[in-house]
C-alpha cells in the first residue's frame, strides 16, 4: 500500500458511496486505498494515510459538502 512516491498534487480523499465509506488517492494513478463501514473509520484511515504520504486529506460528506483537512503533527 505504501509503494508509491507522493507528488505535490496528491491528496487522500474520503467519500461515501453505496452505504460505505471509501478512501482513494487523488493523483495521476488514482489509487484505491480501502473501504470502511463507518465514516469515522474511513476518516481515521484516510488521515493516517495522508500523514504517511505527507499530503492533504479531503473528506467529501454525504450531503456533497467538502472538508479540507490539512496535515498536523499529532
Amino acid at each position: 500500500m505504501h509503494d508509491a512516491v507522493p507528488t505535490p498534487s496528491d491528496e487522500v480523499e474520503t467519500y461515501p458511496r453505496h452505504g460505505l465509506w471509501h478512501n482513494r488517492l487523488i493523483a495521476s494513478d488514482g489509487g484505491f486505498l480501502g473501504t470502511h463501514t463507518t465514516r469515522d473509520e474511513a476518516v481515521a484511515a484516510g488521515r493516517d494515510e495522508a500523514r504517511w504520504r505527507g499530503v492533504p486529506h479531503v473528506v467529501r460528506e454525504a450531503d456533497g459538502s467538502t472538508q479540507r483537512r490539512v496535515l498536523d503533527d499529532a
Side-chain angles (χ1 to χ4, degrees):
M1 174 163 80
H2 296 292
D3 296 333
V5 175
T7 65
S9 63
D10 289 351
E11 294 179 334
V12 172
E13 179 185 42
T14 300
Y15 63 98
R17 181 160 297 149
H18 305 298
L20 297 171
W21 286 83
H22 310 276
N23 287 310
R24 64 182 168 194
L25 183 62
I26 304 298
S28 57
D29 68 357
F32 184 74
L33 301 173
T35 298
H36 303 272
T37 56
T38 69
R39 179 191 180 280
D40 289 345
E41 289 172 351
V43 169
R47 179 189 60 232
D48 291 346
E49 185 71 24
R51 274 192 194 138
W52 182 86
R53 291 176 178 273
V55 300
H57 179 209
V58 176
V59 179
R60 304 220 186 267
E61 300 295 344
D63 67 4
S65 64
T66 302
Q67 296 179 12
R68 184 177 215 37
R69 298 183 178 225
V70 295
L71 297 174
D72 57 29
D73 293 330

